[in-house]
Amino acid sequence: MKAAWRIRVRGVVQGVGFRPFVFRLAQEWGVSGWVQNGEGGVDIHAEGDSEALAAFLREMKAHPPGASRVTDAEVQEVSPEGHEMFQIRESRRSGRPTVNIPADSAVCAACLEELFDPADRRYLYPYINCTECGPRYTVIEGLPYDRPRTTMKDWTMCPDCAAEYRDPLDRRFHAQPIACPQCGPHYYVLRREGETVRGDEAALREAVHLLGRGAIVAVKGLGGYHLACDAENARVVRALRERKRRGAKPFAVMAKDLNVARELVDLSPEAEALLTSAMRPIVLARARRPLSEVAPDNGDLGVMLPYTPLHHLLFAFGAPPVLVMTSANRSSEPIVYRDEEARERLRGIADAWLIGERPIARRVDDSVARASPFGATVLRRARGYAPLPVARLPGGRPVLAVGADLKNTVTVVVDGRAIMSQHLGDLDQYEAYAAFEQTVRDLLNMYDVPLEETVVAHDLHPDFRSSAFARSLAARDHLGVQHHRAHVAAVLAEQNALDRRVVGVTFDGTGFGDDGAIWGGELFVGSAVEGLLRAGHLHYAVLPGGDAAARVPLQALAGFLAELPEWASEAAARLQLPERFVKALKLAEKGIQTFPTTSVGRLFDAVAALLGFTGAISFEGQAAIWLEHLARQAPLEAVYPFPWDGRELDFRPLLQAAMKDRLAGRDAAEIARSFHRGVAEGVHRAALDLGRTHGVDTVVLSGGVFQNTLLLTDLKELFAGGPMQVWMGREAPPNDGGISLGQAALAVVERPAQRS
């Protein structure tokens, strides 16, 4: 007897070849009916005998296309409609869209094979793509995802492309960015002098020629422009650093292939899996051989593999096998993504521009990830990951969470799905703030989320630009969320465990505390649902000059040593520290322009200054990264005390031991190593004590300090085999890039804060 099922498939199922996949399955199992894109995903009406329908559904869920992600398949028995064939219907739109916007994906193996096949009509065509790969989020202008709502709308398909686009058995069926050399966009080179080289192959060969001669070339990619140069040419890398005003911040590099990447860095199987995934993030790993101009005073190197056809063509035409591939901007500004903007703002940095004609809908930077001791972790969530959902949250009302001002992301909760934006940058930069506002509008408009129905969550810091923006919105409700509780809640949201009671350890540089102090060394007990009680913290120190201490580690050292007056005097008298330390110490001693803090991030800065990092930092986390690099150069021979009294982690014995060894002339690397292990043992001791006291068996580690892999390696060893399991964020970054997810989670359960 013929049965009929209505199947609604949710997840990443639009723009990834899902409908032709369903069509082919229906033919294989003798199923009639139809499939179409809808607001909620993909809708299927399937008719056939019960066994065939069951097999059809089983195969659909078990073996979907590689770029898709099925999160749910709801099945309802309905009356047969009498279909004799199976067909793919046009998309429909009747209400609020709830489909997931697909992320950009690296070029697939099938397209690469065609790219280098002289007999293929897309031979050497840099815009080759199919439903399995290519641009998605960076070309989408609206939902449902169809060509008229993309930046390809101005290119009319030629007869051959149109035939592929309409053929359900072709892998380019409804591949919205489909194009070929006859009907699609092209690349050209613009030299600094104004001369233009047109034609894809001619432009690519010119770009390769320039790179080989030591030039800096602005290369248009998926989500913006990169500045590219030969990573092993120290002269040009120094020039790039000077032109960008980059300071000592490391550059990312692109390796020609996996073998070249293996020569550059130590790659674990997990790191290789990240590097070769469809997301193609920059992967941080230990450097095997130095590229000192690329990553000065840093034992790690950020490496990625080619992910667009253009990248593969550059290397195939003879580009240097390791290219610096850094965001095209001046220091701290967002990535440039519009052509006119690139020509204007990169003047004086780039020697030439490799420009593609296809517009970019929105700037999306490269993602950054690491295979950490506790598993793969995304440190900057952008291309390849955004804007896919990162969690399922309870509740029906929409939420907009605007994140923090540093490493900003925003999260929108629609129908229980937490959809996190790409990394937007630091909001004190005008362009980053403009991108932040545009991204909020993008996500609200794409999902038809009316502000009058929306809860807007923001940080408690009274001076954050993101919070001021949130309060300006005519929303249903506004909710202030404490920064460090949001860090913990982000991990609980990813784990689908908002009601799980945990010990939450949040170490970072700064966050506005309940008491108005600068927090950053916090221990919580509780859950997102019941509230997170502040159960402990770092012993309070002071920061002379406030925010300036985050830029000048000597000021942080003065503030922490002010809690050890006798050692502060010794430091001033015997260590020959710059005058800035003495001035900051006087401010701290007199209580002038000083602010109380529990920041572990500033504690790391203070120890870095003690051991020789006496200048100002040129990028966030520089002093702590330097300290970790130093510590890795020495074996562990001693552990500094970092006592826990049930309420405070006391940094004074830790710092006193470091000061004593510094004055005694002990090797700086050995001091740094003892400090790291001392911090790890203090965290372990405090977490176990709070776990026993409160009957909790899970500890959450969050905050930017926990990007330190040496610290995590020590913690992994200490917690191994013990009574507590350790959770960290995976796709939501442990730094402030994950704050918006935590804000959204606490807004959903209406638990913005729980005072101690």
Side-chain angles (χ1 to χ4, degrees):
M1 181 178 177
K2 197 171 188 179
W5 291 357
R6 187 63 56 85
I7 307 169
R8 170 164 287 186
V9 186
R10 295 180 182 271
V12 184
V13 289
Q14 288 193 18
V16 291
F18 199 84
R19 287 181 299 165
F21 160 72
V22 170
F23 179 88
R24 291 190 293 271
L25 270 186
Q27 290 191 321
E28 180 180 347
W29 292 101
V31 171
S32 60
W34 49 261
V35 59
Q36 71 178 166
N37 286 338
E39 288 89 358
V42 167
D43 296 329
I44 302 167
H45 178 87
E47 298 182 2
D49 64 64
S50 297
E51 289 185 6
L53 290 180
F56 168 78
L57 179 63
R58 184 172 59 250
E59 286 296 306
M60 183 183 68
K61 293 164 68 174
H63 304 291
S68 67
R69 186 186 301 178
V70 175
T71 58
D72 184 45
E74 178 186 324
V75 180
Q76 179 184 3
E77 288 194 29
V78 295
S79 300
E81 296 177 352
H83 295 281
E84 296 182 0
M85 302 172 57
F86 197 89
Q87 63 177 176
I88 297 176
R89 291 184 173 179
E90 292 297 314
S91 304
R92 64 177 175 82
R93 172 101 183 245
S94 58
R96 177 184 299 172
T98 56
V99 67
N100 294 320
I101 301 170
D104 303 289
S105 183
V107 59
C108 69
C111 281
L112 276 180
E113 184 176 349
E114 291 178 348
L115 182 66
F116 293 109
D117 179 1
D120 193 276
R121 68 189 191 88
R122 292 187 176 88
Y123 177 56
L124 303 183
Y125 182 56
Y127 282 116
I128 191 171
N129 69 88
C130 70
T131 52
E132 289 281 336
C133 68
R136 300 292 188 270
Y137 186 44
T138 52
V139 298
I140 291 173
E141 295 179 330
L143 292 177
Y145 174 40
D146 289 316
R147 192 177 180 97
R149 299 183 184 90
T150 75
T151 61
M152 286 294 295
K153 61 182 178 294
D154 293 332
W155 280 274
T156 302
M157 287 180 273
C158 67
D160 288 337
C161 284
E164 292 171 334
Y165 183 85
R166 291 193 296 265
D167 182 358
L169 297 179
D170 194 286
R171 78 173 205 281
R172 290 191 172 90
F173 175 77
H174 282 210
Q176 306 306 338
I178 188 173
C180 75
Q182 301 304 314
C183 65
H186 295 278
Y187 271 84
Y188 63 96
V189 163
L190 177 67
R191 296 194 183 103
R192 182 185 285 179
E193 300 80 12
E195 184 181 353
T196 300
V197 178
R198 294 197 174 272
D200 294 326
E201 185 172 350
L204 285 160
R205 293 195 184 280
E206 174 67 10
V208 167
H209 172 68
L210 291 167
L211 290 168
R213 285 176 46 208
I216 297 168
V217 180
V219 179
K220 187 176 182 180
L222 283 181
Y225 278 80
H226 287 103
L227 289 167
C229 69
D230 184 353
E232 298 183 273
N233 182 331
R235 178 196 61 78
V236 70
V237 178
R238 281 195 299 271
L240 176 60
R241 193 173 291 284
E242 291 167 3
R243 294 181 193 181
K244 271 181 62 98
R245 299 195 293 270
R246 179 81 171 194
K249 189 174 182 179
F251 288 123
V253 300
M254 179 175 284
K256 177 181 179 180
D257 54 35
L258 186 56
N259 287 331
V260 173
R262 287 170 176 154
E263 294 173 2
L264 293 172
V265 291
D266 287 320
L267 289 174
S268 66
E270 190 171 35
E272 281 201 12
L274 278 172
L275 197 63
T276 58
S277 69
M279 287 78 80
R280 286 291 200 281
I282 298 167
V283 176
L284 296 182
R286 302 297 297 166
R288 291 177 63 90
R289 61 182 176 90
L291 290 172
S292 57
E293 296 295 334
V294 172
D297 295 324
N298 197 321
D300 290 343
L301 190 61
V303 180
M304 59 180 156
L305 293 178
Y307 58 84
T308 69
L310 182 78
H311 297 147
H312 287 276
L313 288 167
L314 286 172
F315 287 117
F317 287 173
V322 185
L323 292 173
V324 167
M325 196 68 79
T326 187
S327 300
N329 53 19
R330 296 192 186 273
S331 183
S332 301
E333 295 177 354
I335 187 171
V336 172
Y337 74 108
R338 293 189 179 99
D339 299 337
E340 285 294 329
E341 180 186 32
R343 289 193 288 268
E344 179 62 31
R345 292 178 59 193
L346 301 180
R347 195 179 305 277
I349 302 178
D351 298 308
W353 291 256
L354 180 55
I355 301 174
E357 294 173 337
R358 183 179 67 205
I360 298 170
R362 60 189 55 78
R363 59 166 58 90
V364 180
D365 224 319
D366 293 313
S367 293
V368 180
R370 182 197 289 279
S372 83
F374 290 101
T377 302
V378 175
L379 304 178
R380 183 171 75 191
R381 181 182 168 85
R383 176 190 48 77
Y385 294 91
L388 299 177
V390 288
R392 294 287 302 184
L393 298 176
R397 63 181 183 175
V399 172
L400 166 65
V402 298
D405 274 16
L406 295 180
K407 294 181 170 61
N408 180 266
T409 63
V410 299
T411 295
V412 173
V413 182
V414 181
D415 292 337
R417 291 165 303 130
I419 299 156
M420 183 182 284
S421 77
Q422 71 274 28
H423 165 85
L424 298 169
D426 299 345
L427 300 190
D428 60 348
Q429 292 286 337
Y430 171 79
E431 290 292 336
Y433 185 77
F436 159 77
E437 289 189 314
Q438 182 60 50
T439 301
V440 170
R441 289 193 294 269
D442 270 358
L443 292 175
L444 294 181
N445 289 339
M446 283 188 181
Y447 288 103
D448 284 352
V449 178
L451 275 172
E452 61 272 15
E453 297 178 12
T454 301
V455 177
V456 178
H458 59 83
D459 195 274
L460 287 178
H461 197 297
D463 298 327
F464 269 8
R465 298 191 72 183
S466 55
S467 299
F469 171 82
R471 291 190 295 267
S472 73
L473 297 176
R476 168 182 169 175
D477 198 6
H478 299 83
L479 203 61
V481 177
Q482 200 280 321
H483 187 92
H484 300 93
R485 292 184 176 89
H487 269 306
V488 177
V491 178
L492 296 179
E494 266 205 86
Q495 293 282 347
N496 192 27
L498 296 185
D499 58 351
R500 179 70 166 263
R501 299 188 73 246
V502 299
V503 173
V505 183
T506 305
F507 287 179
D508 64 2
T510 184
F512 190 78
D514 296 341
D515 56 3
I518 301 170
W519 285 8
E522 312 309 313
L523 295 100
F524 300 99
V525 173
S527 71
V529 172
E530 74 177 35
L532 292 162
L533 178 72
R534 191 190 192 206
H537 53 81
L538 187 73
H539 179 78
Y540 278 86
V542 295
L543 288 181
D547 287 345
R551 298 187 293 273
V552 184
L554 278 171
Q555 291 184 212
L557 177 60
F560 278 85
L561 280 179
E563 292 293 302
L564 296 164
E566 68 282 9
W567 291 100
S569 301
E570 287 286 299
R574 297 175 56 188
L575 291 181
Q576 298 181 330
L577 295 170
E579 182 66 19
R580 188 141 188 178
F581 170 77
V582 177
K583 291 180 178 179
L585 190 59
K586 289 178 180 177
L587 288 178
E589 290 170 348
K590 295 177 180 179
I592 300 172
Q593 290 184 315
T594 61
F595 301 85
T597 187
T598 60
S599 171
V600 174
R602 298 293 81 81
L603 175 62
F604 272 74
D605 287 353
V607 175
L610 176 66
L611 298 183
F613 194 104
T614 56
I617 66 170
S618 61
F619 63 93
E620 187 189 8
Q622 183 183 6
I625 291 169
W626 179 88
L627 186 66
E628 180 188 357
H629 175 60
L630 186 66
R632 288 185 177 277
Q633 300 172 29
L636 178 62
E637 294 182 352
V639 180
Y640 292 155
F642 192 26
W644 163 255
D645 65 2
R647 183 65 186 177
E648 285 191 345
L649 279 166
D650 193 348
F651 68 82
R652 291 171 297 184
L654 185 74
L655 191 53
Q656 181 175 320
M659 271 292 303
K660 183 177 179 181
D661 280 351
R662 178 77 171 87
L663 293 170
R666 187 183 179 202
D667 181 71
E670 294 177 359
I671 296 172
R673 184 68 188 94
S674 296
F675 169 77
H676 275 78
R677 184 68 178 205
V679 172
E681 292 198 1
V683 170
H684 180 247
R685 189 180 303 114
L688 288 182
D689 178 60
L690 289 173
R692 283 192 298 266
T693 301
H694 296 275
V696 172
D697 65 359
T698 303
V699 59
V700 166
L701 304 178
S702 60
V705 169
F706 291 113
Q707 295 174 123
N708 184 314
T709 54
L710 180 58
L711 179 62
L712 292 180
T713 299
D714 282 344
L715 287 168
K716 178 80 170 180
E717 177 187 324
L718 291 167
F719 279 105
M724 299 191 80
Q725 60 179 318
V726 180
W727 286 355
M728 288 191 68
R730 295 298 181 90
E731 290 196 21
N735 54 51
D736 281 7
I739 286 290
S740 65
L741 175 61
Q743 291 172 344
L746 290 171
V748 163
V749 298
E750 298 186 82
R751 278 285 185 180
Q754 176 66 56
R755 294 184 182 274
S756 55

